[in-house]
Amino acid sequence: MEMEQLVALCRRRGFLFQSSEIYGGLQGFWDYGPLGVELKRNVREAWWRDMVTAHNELEPPPGAPSAFEMVGLDCSIIMHPQVWKCSGHYDLFHDFMVDCRESNKRYRYDQVCGRWVECKGQRIFVASDLGGDEGIELTRHKAMKFFNLRGKDADALAWEGTLVSLAELEEPYVELKIIDTKEKPASGKPSFLVDFSQVLGPDAKTLGTLTEPREFNLMLETYPGPVRDESSKAFLRPETAQGIFVNFKNVCDSTRVRIPFGIAQIGKSFRNEITPRNFTFRSREFEQMEIEFFCHPDTSPEWYRYWRDRRYQWYLDLGLAGERLRLRDHEKDELSHYSRGTADIEYAFPFLPTGEFGELEGVAHRGDFDLRSHAEGKLVRQGDKLVVETDAEGKPRHRGSGKDLSYFDDQTKERFIPHVIEPSAGADRATLAFLCEAYREDEAPDEHGKPTKRLFLKLHPRLAPIKAAVFPLVKKDGMPEVAREIYKTLKPHFPVFYDEKSAVGRRYRRQDEVGTPFCITVDSQTLQDGTVTIRDRDTLRQWRVHKDECLDELKTRLMA
Ligand code: GAP
């Protein structure tokens, strides 16, 4: 499946629209249409139900070290600015970006890639902001234009190596003189010494238009209240997790939860991504589904493995195929400064080059970093210890709340700072992965019995926006009245669609395209014996049941 086909279907059938489309759209923002809103709601509800409401705290689930409790929270998007100073987002949550002086476009430094090419005695680096085959094609096209070549002269271009990111440029491509990008000097900022004079920027026609990489904080700023100055500056949350950490004590004090337990939250997060791209995959406003699971330090490695495996299985159970879904443990040098283990659950999205995977969810062992930071002040690593970061005078650089965020176990009489396992998923990325996986084409008989191309979404019934459609075969002979009765019986139980317009074959196809698992048709036999046909979206099998049994039949099949 080509990504463009899915994007077109999403727009045509009302799953997703560009935000503010009538004004030309706004990059990095998306609106869910009537079907999309149902689909995403089903993703969220499946997550909330499976992780929180249906969780049985009396018995250990399969693979869990012990029984545990799960509760929920819904925190505000704007929080005290000190939250982000202690969490590290204020100092560390940034990307490096380069600007193009010619096109006025901004790119993420590590996403600009390109190839060296020599022609007519000149050697240049042709950059692209796309990777894979598309990037190769784009750089070829740009080089042809730059050197003023016609199609038949393509052999005049002598390419060296394959696509490489600007940030990764190493020998033998040292001509760009990138020095010391990894080494961090005392200020905590990497230094760059880059000579971009031979680089043709992704959207430039002349050489040397890219600026040196600069730091760019990803948090979106706002100014609550009437005064607009530094002291009133606040941020839209870049993750939902911090709301959970700062409420840890409130939850412990106001409920009877005992460690181990988890707090779940679903909500919007905002990041000023430099290059939002790939449909909803990287947006500036998106929704997260996060759990912070608090446990004793001694058992935390077992809980980490439990959550990693359980979250991977959740995607498989809802229909993502094993060969396109993988669980990847981070290498030691990929881990954040606080993490003792992180695994990503990744999906082979169709917009990625073959063999590449994109992150759906991260499961991280965060140790006691967050609770300690919010109690003591922002922590930094010193050797193998985490210590409060201090300024030149030895004072904490970002002061914590000063509140005691430790936990007292009244059975063992032990006081400790819990360790945290964090499964952090994106609702929009999960929705996109389910859509990509569901997109199918096959051949099926049309209304005249002739095999024609059929497009259908093989969505898991729990996720399908509409669970069943009800049709009268024709709009006469009392069939619409019976069909409406069935519709009225089903509607209070799940989303059902009634349709009597156009040929029944076309109505089936329209429902296939939006992933409706079952279609119920009232025909002339219904008027004689009260039976209707039920048609299965995936197998196209049809069978008859009595109209009064439709509800039970569908309930059984939707639960299966
Ligand atoms: N609290 C940890 C955390 O926020 P993250 O890996 O930065 O970790 C977690 O984000 C998940 O949120 C990602 O796996 C992804 O599904 C989703 N996500 C992050 N940035 C996103 C963006 N710009 N657009 C859409 N989803 C995003």
Side-chain angles (χ1 to χ4, degrees):
M1 185 258 297
E2 297 295 327
M3 199 57 203
E4 292 73 40
Q5 293 173 292
L6 181 69
V7 174
L9 171 78
C10 284
R11 197 182 178 290
R12 183 158 44 83
R13 296 307 308 273
F15 281 95
L16 272 155
F17 309 119
Q18 219 190 345
S19 163
S20 328
E21 196 183 85
I22 60 168
Y23 288 101
L26 186 63
Q27 227 201 343
F29 297 90
W30 295 93
D31 294 341
Y32 285 81
L35 288 176
V37 74
E38 294 294 335
L39 173 62
K40 189 171 155 192
R41 204 165 62 85
N42 292 343
V43 171
R44 283 197 305 254
E45 277 181 6
W47 185 90
W48 191 263
R49 193 179 144 70
D50 295 347
M51 299 300 126
V52 186
T53 47
H55 174 74
N56 164 9
E57 69 277 9
L58 303 179
E59 287 158 29
S66 70
F68 60 91
E69 291 181 74
M70 290 294 298
V71 294
L73 266 184
D74 185 7
C75 307
S76 63
I77 285 172
I78 297 172
M79 300 168 71
H80 195 292
Q82 200 65 13
V83 169
W84 308 112
K85 293 190 172 160
C86 290
S87 70
H89 286 82
Y90 187 81
D91 293 329
L92 301 171
F93 194 54
H94 52 233
D95 274 341
F96 284 91
M97 48 93 187
V98 288
D99 285 312
C100 177
R101 284 181 282 256
E102 184 187 306
S103 65
N104 288 329
K105 288 202 175 164
R106 177 167 284 180
Y107 311 95
R108 232 173 83 177
Y109 178 52
D110 62 349
Q111 280 178 356
V112 179
C113 48
R115 293 195 287 166
W116 283 107
V117 67
E118 197 171 336
C119 184
K120 300 181 179 175
Q122 195 179 3
R123 188 164 172 272
I124 65 165
F125 186 82
V126 189
S128 151
D129 61 344
L130 295 175
D133 292 344
E134 281 177 297
I136 299 252
E137 186 47 35
L138 210 72
T139 49
R140 197 188 63 79
H141 188 71
K142 280 175 58 100
M144 297 285 289
K145 266 192 131 169
F146 181 82
F147 289 109
N148 210 0
L149 299 176
R150 290 164 190 269
K152 64 180 172 50
D153 301 324
D155 290 348
L157 295 170
W159 293 100
E160 295 169 31
T162 181
L163 280 183
V164 54
S165 148
L166 274 184
E168 288 167 350
L169 274 185
E170 280 170 24
E171 292 281 358
Y173 309 108
V174 285
E175 263 85 343
L176 284 184
K177 296 194 202 106
I178 293 189
I179 299 172
D180 235 359
T181 54
K182 289 179 190 132
E183 191 85 347
K184 294 198 176 190
S187 72
K189 289 183 184 167
S191 63
F192 295 91
L193 257 182
V194 191
D195 171 12
F196 280 168
S197 65
Q198 296 309 303
V199 175
L200 183 60
D203 295 282
K205 294 193 181 73
T206 47
L207 289 175
T209 60
L210 293 187
T211 62
E212 186 176 299
R214 275 186 291 157
E215 262 178 314
F216 181 80
N217 194 295
L218 298 183
M219 284 197 293
L220 281 155
E221 294 170 7
T222 184
Y223 297 83
V227 184
R228 195 182 172 90
D229 63 13
E230 263 310 290
S231 68
S232 64
K233 185 155 88 182
F235 303 93
L236 304 192
R237 68 178 174 202
E239 60 171 31
T240 57
Q242 298 304 323
I244 301 180
F245 294 125
V246 301
N247 276 295
F248 170 74
K249 206 169 150 38
N250 284 340
V251 172
C252 287
D253 292 350
S254 61
T255 68
R256 288 161 63 188
V257 285
R258 302 196 65 247
I259 273 181
F261 72 91
I263 306 182
Q265 173 161 224
I266 298 180
K268 292 262 185 168
S269 292
F270 300 81
R271 295 183 189 178
N272 201 5
E273 298 283 359
I274 296 164
T275 43
R277 59 168 71 195
N278 292 330
F279 209 16
T280 56
F281 182 82
R282 190 176 304 285
S283 319
R284 290 183 170 137
E285 174 177 340
F286 55 96
E287 211 156 352
Q288 289 187 309
M289 309 187 289
E290 297 199 291
I291 296 170
E292 305 304 328
F293 189 79
F294 300 93
C295 56
H296 191 281
D298 292 348
T299 50
S300 59
E302 287 166 72
W303 284 113
Y304 168 63
R305 282 192 294 277
Y306 166 71
W307 278 108
R308 178 181 156 272
D309 297 346
R310 178 168 175 198
R311 291 299 308 143
Y312 176 67
Q313 189 60 42
W314 187 79
Y315 292 99
L316 287 176
D317 291 346
L318 284 173
L320 296 190
E323 67 270 23
R324 281 184 291 278
L325 188 71
R326 75 175 184 194
L327 186 60
R328 187 181 66 82
D329 288 308
H330 279 206
E331 301 291 334
K332 259 211 152 71
D333 62 356
E334 269 183 279
L335 295 178
S336 352
H337 57 294
Y338 52 76
S339 182
R340 295 161 187 225
T342 299
D344 283 345
I345 301 168
E346 300 177 329
Y347 181 71
F349 285 97
F351 49 76
L352 296 171
T354 313
E356 282 189 21
F357 287 71
E359 180 186 323
L360 271 182
E361 170 161 352
V363 183
H365 184 320
R366 299 176 67 105
D368 60 5
F369 174 80
D370 304 278
L371 289 179
R372 272 189 60 201
S373 298
H374 286 304
E376 300 169 26
K378 193 193 143 210
L379 298 175
V380 285
R381 184 165 290 289
Q382 209 171 73
D384 57 0
K385 279 201 183 127
L386 287 172
V387 295
V388 176
E389 191 183 18
T390 48
D391 60 19
E393 289 160 22
K395 294 201 196 104
R397 214 161 84 73
H398 296 309
R399 213 175 270 286
S401 65
K403 300 278 183 305
D404 178 5
L405 299 182
S406 65
Y407 174 83
F408 181 69
D409 188 323
D410 52 13
Q411 282 176 5
T412 61
K413 307 291 176 216
E414 188 187 0
R415 182 170 288 284
F416 58 93
I417 301 179
H419 276 204
V420 170
I421 313 300
E422 177 190 72
S424 169
D428 306 271
R429 280 197 194 169
T431 304
L432 185 59
F434 289 127
L435 273 171
C436 292
E437 184 72 34
Y439 189 99
R440 306 285 158 102
E441 281 176 8
D442 68 358
E443 262 200 356
D446 64 10
E447 61 261 44
H448 312 295
K450 196 172 141 227
T452 49
K453 198 175 99 175
R454 178 177 79 123
L455 198 170
F456 68 111
L457 288 186
K458 196 175 175 190
L459 286 168
H460 190 288
R462 284 182 79 187
L463 302 182
I466 302 170
K467 308 298 181 197
V470 187
F471 310 145
L473 182 66
V474 289
K475 222 163 114 184
K476 56 183 184 184
D477 303 337
M479 290 183 209
E481 288 75 6
V482 181
R484 279 170 184 275
E485 270 313 306
I486 298 172
Y487 169 81
K488 267 176 25 195
T489 310
L490 301 180
K491 192 70 178 166
H493 300 272
F494 29 75
V496 186
F497 188 75
Y498 176 82
D499 190 4
E500 57 181 28
K501 293 191 198 90
S502 76
V504 75
R506 292 193 61 190
R507 283 179 264 162
Y508 283 144
R509 296 285 172 116
R510 280 185 63 77
Q511 292 306 313
D512 290 344
E513 236 186 24
V514 298
T516 308
F518 301 105
C519 290
I520 299 167
T521 307
V522 171
D523 54 19
S524 50
Q525 196 177 327
T526 316
L527 307 178
Q528 291 160 20
D529 64 9
T531 64
V532 294
T533 63
I534 301 190
R535 170 186 175 274
D536 180 293
R537 172 197 69 198
D538 303 335
T539 61
L540 299 176
R541 195 173 75 81
Q542 298 197 17
W543 65 98
R544 297 197 81 88
V545 297
H546 195 274
K547 61 182 169 58
D548 298 341
E549 286 161 16
C550 278
L551 179 60
D552 286 344
E553 173 85 7
L554 286 188
K555 272 190 177 165
T556 314
R557 289 181 182 270
L558 290 168
M559 298 283 281

